[in-house]
Amino acid sequence: MLYILFNSISLFFCYILDMKSTSLVKILIGFMFVLCIYFLPSVQYGVGTDYFSYMNIFYDHSQLLYIFKKNEFAFYYFTLFVSSFASFETYIMIIVFIQSVLIFFTIYYLKKKGLASFSILFLTFFCVTNLMHTQMNLIRASFAMYLFAISFIFYADKKQILGVCICLLASLFHASALIVLVFLLLPRRFYILISKNLFFVYTFSFLLFFFAPLDLVLKLLIDTIAPNYSFYFFGGAPSVSFLNILSKVYYVPLHFVLFYLVRKRSIIFTDFQSVLVGMWCLISNVYLLMLSFDFLSRINYFFVFFYLVPISLVLHKFWLCRNRFYFAFWAGFIILPYVIKVIFFPIAEFSYNTYLF
């Protein structure tokens, strides 16, 4: 229930930010928004599965050295520096504050570029991506994910060099960011081409990932050319549940609403939006492969942020057209599963604990 309360207050601040006001008022409300999304995760205790693992890393520098050997130097030196003068609780507070600022900056930039209003972007951000929950568990990966999202936003805004530099910084927090760097090396016109063929690319990838025996093909390939790595890709039971996959399939109807609105030319993408939509469409169905390839769950985490792109566009369109029924219906559609996860089935990161009470 605390999640619902604080996110609702944050959403109210977003609504004020969308209204015309002076720069001073916007700075003040923006600061209040950051504090609001900052508070709960900053005083968490034992949320998720990795909280105590990071506590051990923080106090045991021999474990921290493992991070250094993985070339994740930014996280290593950041943790080493903070541990020299602060407690683990303060360390979490500092991390969460930085992440809250990154969230605010990302949503503000998307709003500034006309993707949707601040309110709609934040609503889809916390309801659809659930990143505000997973960031409490996956600390290193969250730093890298937020930085990758920002890097791609800069890339979409024709600031490719800056985007690449930020993605390289992300890899210093979590080395897996180097894998997704490839998305910043593709030409922008590639994503624009995808945005012009959304329905075909989306449907093709969905059917390919859902029906094609890619796991058998890849396993045969790895067993042939690199058998020593076979266990890394296929060993052990998958950690991603079928329910987790269904929770992502749930949003498919909204995707088809976007395709319909695009076909009717009710939504016409700007150059910036075309690149973002093309990126989303390219990675939109990767989650279907996670049941076969467990390792993809680590990479898919970088893609989750982009789930808000099509849904924000649809909600924003209905709001601008003053079609309040469709807006309310689809807003309720994305809020419902979030409420169920937080109130009725609060497990893992959706179950909140704090050392305050």
Side-chain angles (χ1 to χ4, degrees):
M1 197 64 190
L2 285 173
Y3 288 131
I4 301 292
L5 174 63
F6 276 81
N7 284 337
S8 297
I9 297 173
S10 301
L11 196 58
F12 173 72
F13 288 135
C14 292
Y15 179 73
I16 298 176
L17 284 170
D18 285 327
M19 299 170 64
K20 292 183 179 180
S21 57
T22 64
S23 298
L24 182 60
V25 171
K26 287 190 174 183
I27 291 172
L28 178 61
I29 297 301
F31 181 69
M32 295 297 293
F33 169 79
V34 169
L35 286 183
C36 199
I37 64 174
Y38 160 79
F39 179 73
L40 282 185
S42 70
V43 294
Q44 64 162 307
Y45 178 78
V47 175
T49 57
D50 290 352
Y51 181 88
F52 295 107
S53 297
Y54 279 104
M55 181 183 287
N56 292 333
I57 291 172
F58 183 82
Y59 288 117
D60 184 356
H61 288 180
S62 64
Q63 294 189 41
L64 184 59
L65 190 61
Y66 174 72
I67 304 296
F68 182 84
K69 292 178 179 178
K70 293 177 66 177
N71 298 326
E72 295 170 352
F73 302 123
F75 185 81
Y76 171 81
Y77 285 111
F78 171 76
T79 303
L80 192 65
F81 171 70
V82 177
S83 67
S84 67
F85 66 87
S87 65
F88 179 70
E89 289 75 17
T90 304
Y91 172 70
I92 293 296
M93 288 181 175
I94 295 172
I95 286 175
V96 173
F97 182 75
I98 296 172
Q99 291 178 340
S100 299
V101 172
L102 292 177
I103 291 170
F104 174 80
F105 175 81
T106 305
I107 296 176
Y108 173 79
Y109 203 97
L110 290 176
K111 189 251 185 186
K112 182 181 176 182
K113 297 301 296 184
L115 186 69
S117 67
F118 210 106
S119 306
I120 289 174
L121 287 166
F122 181 65
L123 178 69
T124 54
F125 176 74
F126 78 79
C127 283
V128 177
T129 70
N130 296 150
L131 291 173
M132 292 179 68
H133 295 271
T134 50
Q135 75 177 29
M136 290 190 283
N137 185 41
L138 304 174
I139 296 176
R140 282 186 303 133
S142 293
F143 265 120
M145 182 282 304
Y146 286 134
L147 289 173
F148 172 68
I150 291 172
S151 72
F152 196 86
I153 289 170
F154 280 134
Y155 167 88
D157 199 24
K158 300 181 180 179
K159 300 173 182 176
Q160 291 97 322
I161 295 177
L162 179 58
V164 169
C165 291
I166 293 175
C167 190
L168 290 174
L169 174 61
S171 72
L172 298 180
F173 282 96
H174 203 286
S176 57
L178 287 174
I179 299 175
V180 293
L181 176 63
V182 66
F183 291 97
L184 300 172
L185 303 179
L186 297 172
R188 291 177 78 259
R189 62 179 177 272
F190 173 72
Y191 296 105
I192 294 174
L193 179 63
I194 292 176
S195 71
K196 293 178 179 178
N197 298 276
L198 278 182
F199 180 76
F200 172 77
V201 176
Y202 181 92
T203 306
F204 177 78
S205 65
F206 188 94
L207 295 175
L208 178 68
F209 296 159
F210 188 79
F211 290 109
L214 293 182
D215 54 335
L216 297 178
V217 175
L218 184 58
K219 189 174 190 310
L220 178 63
L221 183 63
I222 291 177
D223 283 342
T224 302
I225 64 176
N228 292 335
Y229 290 90
S230 182
F231 180 80
Y232 177 77
F233 289 103
F234 304 101
S239 62
V240 179
S241 67
F242 186 68
L243 185 62
N244 182 285
I245 301 299
L246 285 179
S247 70
K248 294 174 174 58
V249 174
Y250 176 84
Y251 298 103
V252 169
L254 262 168
H255 300 162
F256 278 85
V257 173
L258 175 67
F259 301 150
Y260 174 80
L261 292 174
V262 170
R263 183 177 178 81
K264 293 293 183 180
R265 297 189 66 80
S266 296
I267 292 180
I268 300 176
F269 303 133
T270 64
D271 181 77
F272 175 81
Q273 291 171 348
S274 293
V275 177
L276 279 185
V277 171
M279 173 62 174
W280 162 73
C281 188
L282 184 64
I283 55 85
S284 59
N285 295 310
V286 170
Y287 68 88
L288 292 170
L289 295 174
M290 291 193 298
L291 281 175
S292 299
F293 311 127
D294 181 54
F295 71 94
L296 275 177
S297 62
R298 306 166 194 173
I299 306 302
N300 191 66
Y301 185 64
F302 286 92
F303 304 150
V304 172
F305 174 83
F306 298 94
Y307 293 174
L308 67 76
V309 172
I311 298 174
S312 294
L313 282 168
V314 170
L315 291 180
H316 190 56
K317 177 60 183 178
F318 288 141
W319 182 262
L320 289 178
C321 292
R322 299 186 181 278
N323 197 324
R324 298 297 186 256
F325 173 78
Y326 283 119
F327 176 83
F329 176 82
W330 290 114
F333 183 83
I334 68 171
I335 291 171
L336 179 61
Y338 181 77
V339 171
I340 291 174
K341 283 184 281 191
V342 169
I343 296 180
F344 298 104
F345 300 101
I347 59 175
E349 307 94 71
F350 294 95
S351 177
Y352 185 72
N353 293 298
T354 175
Y355 54 76
L356 296 182
F357 49 83

